[in-house]
Amino acid sequence: MLQNTPNRLLVTALAAITLTLAACGAPKRPVETEEVLLGRRNDMQERLTTAYRKGFEDLARDAHERYLRDAKDAVDVLVISGGGDWGAFGTGLLLGWGEVKAPGIPRPQFDVVSGVSTGALIAPFAYLGTEADLKAIDDLYRNPKSDWVKPRGLLYFLPDNASFAEVPGLEREVDRFINMDFAKRVAEESKQGRLLLINTTNLDDGSQQTFRWGLAAQQAVKDGSVTRLQNILLASSGIPGAFPPRDIDTSLYCDGAVTSNIIYGGAMKREDTFGATYKRLYPGEAVPKLRFWVILNNYAVAQARTVQRTWPSVIERALEVAVRSSTTIALRHLYSLAEITNLRGDGEVEVRWAAIPNSWKQPVEGIFKEETMRSLSDLGHQLGATPEAWHTEAP
């Protein structure tokens, strides 16, 4: 959920850390050597690379079957960014998009869905893609509860605390929605070759880790437990220092936006991309069109405002600008990859993106405010129902 007003939470956390650093005692978790951690990171990266190669092969096979039936069929990738409570824009846009009819671009069933931070919470519902699922997540964002985020009390700054805030309401909502029935539905969809990716940040080895949530759902069904599924979502949306980090497997994880605010396959080698995989499996055949749909749950660029000469104001603003700038760079990189793919003959790639218009202003101060979240949901719904929502050129 890293971005916009939650940056103030980070500023407070940084202040608390600064004031109490000297009082920190020995860490409670067993300390592992750098060699062990790096070895584990390498093993994990190898497993992830193998899993993604297999995932793209399954995706290519499914696309090939559809392409044989309809040469106009495209492979659609939905990318949902972080943005905290401003994720209400994305939930509203997805609902409004469902109202688009020809000759516009109707909302497709997405072959790949990726989510980061607040986008991670939205992604599973967009992946399932029914009107009921999309309305459920939009209703959640339109009706925030006061206990979604709660300070730990007067002694929130003590260094033994996992974070200076708790998220009992958010944990309750995740527990309510991400149950075994939900996991079974996601697991079945993932068996059809569709991919659901959730980005997190591994604090121990300092790496980006993108979980294949569909495979995790399959494993959850086998294990009879959805705890790991829930922890992946809570980790991805966990503002570092403000919200509790999450233990997953043997490592500690936090907000996926720390390492990348949008996930689009930018780190993949050419031979592992969809186009190259398709050409390897079906040599001599045309590669289906690949379409990226990127939802930015924030302004595309930071809005101009006067910053006071105080360190909290400077840090808050710097964090805001840093996240926005890195997201813009990533989106420009995606456009560059699309152009390179087209030039290489690895298939036609289109990129479209939508963001909160600069004309929208936050109606009330604070985070997780109903008036703000409903305003954004309404705005997203209105834009999603029109072709004007989607930009076709890089920001």
Side-chain angles (χ1 to χ4, degrees):
M1 289 192 174
L2 189 64
Q3 285 205 76
N4 46 276
T5 48
N7 289 334
R8 297 174 186 173
L9 297 176
L10 284 175
V11 172
T12 306
L14 286 170
I17 292 169
T18 302
L19 292 172
T20 60
L21 189 59
C24 292
K28 294 180 179 179
R29 297 177 66 220
V31 176
E32 297 180 290
T33 66
E34 182 180 11
E35 182 180 5
V36 169
L37 292 173
L38 291 179
R40 187 180 298 157
R41 180 171 68 185
N42 292 335
D43 290 342
M44 175 60 70
Q45 293 304 318
E46 288 181 8
R47 290 198 298 271
L48 286 174
T49 298
T50 300
Y52 281 114
R53 283 174 179 162
K54 175 63 165 56
F56 272 80
E57 288 176 358
D58 292 341
L59 181 65
R61 291 189 178 96
D62 178 68
H64 183 253
E65 291 181 8
R66 300 194 333 249
Y67 190 71
L68 292 177
R69 296 192 297 267
D70 182 2
K72 295 181 179 180
D73 194 69
V75 176
D76 289 291
V77 181
L78 176 65
V79 179
I80 313 175
S81 83
D85 50 345
W86 287 16
F89 171 75
T91 64
L93 188 146
L94 287 168
L95 267 183
W97 194 359
E99 299 174 6
V100 174
K101 309 297 181 185
I105 305 176
R107 187 185 68 218
Q109 180 189 59
F110 301 105
D111 300 281
V112 182
V113 177
S114 73
V116 181
S117 203
T118 199
L121 300 178
I122 301 169
F125 296 85
Y127 180 76
L128 292 175
T130 69
E131 289 299 312
D133 289 308
L134 295 176
K135 188 175 187 307
I137 190 62
D138 186 57
D139 285 345
L140 178 66
Y141 274 76
R142 291 178 66 87
N143 298 282
K145 302 296 187 294
S146 60
D147 67 345
W148 279 10
V149 181
K150 293 181 63 176
R152 290 184 181 273
L154 294 175
L155 301 180
Y156 69 88
F157 54 82
L158 290 179
D160 285 341
N161 291 331
S163 59
F164 79 84
E166 297 176 297
V167 288
L170 182 60
E171 291 170 344
R172 181 187 63 246
E173 302 293 5
V174 170
D175 186 65
R176 177 164 68 98
F177 282 104
I178 310 303
N179 53 35
M180 187 54 67
D181 287 339
F182 194 96
K184 288 179 180 178
R185 293 176 61 205
V186 171
E188 286 304 311
E189 289 296 327
S190 69
K191 292 176 183 177
Q192 308 308 312
R194 300 174 63 216
L195 300 176
L196 175 53
L197 313 175
I198 302 297
N199 192 50
T200 63
T201 299
N202 187 318
L203 291 170
D204 287 334
D205 64 31
S207 69
Q208 170 185 316
Q209 184 161 326
T210 305
F211 288 93
R212 281 192 61 184
W213 211 74
L215 287 184
Q218 292 183 37
Q219 190 61 49
V221 173
K222 292 180 181 179
D223 296 341
S225 172
V226 295
T227 299
R228 187 169 182 270
L229 277 183
Q230 295 173 344
N231 279 336
I232 292 172
L233 298 185
L234 290 169
S236 183
S237 57
I239 303 170
F243 294 177
R246 304 289 163 170
D247 289 287
I248 304 174
D249 304 327
T250 57
S251 298
L252 196 65
Y253 290 84
C254 76
D255 200 327
V258 171
T259 43
S260 184
N261 198 37
I262 56 174
I263 297 299
Y264 54 93
M268 298 181 68
K269 295 181 179 180
R270 179 185 177 183
E271 60 265 26
D272 295 329
T273 61
F274 171 77
T277 300
Y278 194 94
K279 289 172 67 175
R280 185 176 69 251
L281 293 175
Y282 307 104
E285 297 191 25
V287 180
K289 179 185 295 185
L290 188 63
R291 301 190 298 190
F292 284 89
W293 308 90
V294 183
I295 298 177
L296 303 180
N297 289 303
N298 216 302
Y299 301 115
V301 295
Q303 294 213 312
R305 62 181 175 85
T306 300
V307 178
Q308 296 302 320
R309 196 187 295 274
T310 62
W311 69 262
S313 297
V314 171
I315 291 178
E316 177 192 346
R317 181 61 165 173
L319 289 170
E320 176 192 3
V321 173
V323 174
R324 202 82 72 255
S325 298
S326 66
T327 305
T328 299
I329 292 170
L331 188 51
R332 290 171 179 168
H333 182 235
L334 174 56
Y335 270 92
S336 297
L337 287 178
E339 184 174 357
I340 290 171
T341 300
N342 295 335
L343 292 172
R344 284 173 171 170
D346 286 347
E348 181 182 357
V349 181
E350 295 179 352
V351 181
R352 295 178 176 86
W353 61 276
I356 298 173
N358 287 339
S359 58
W360 180 85
K361 305 302 178 185
Q362 187 172 350
V364 294
E365 287 293 324
I367 61 174
F368 300 109
K369 298 296 183 181
E370 183 176 298
E371 185 177 349
T372 295
M373 297 177 78
R374 290 198 171 205
S375 174
L376 281 167
S377 173
D378 292 340
L379 173 66
H381 194 285
Q382 178 184 355
L383 281 177
T386 68
E388 289 76 20
W390 300 103
H391 302 274
T392 57
E393 295 184 358

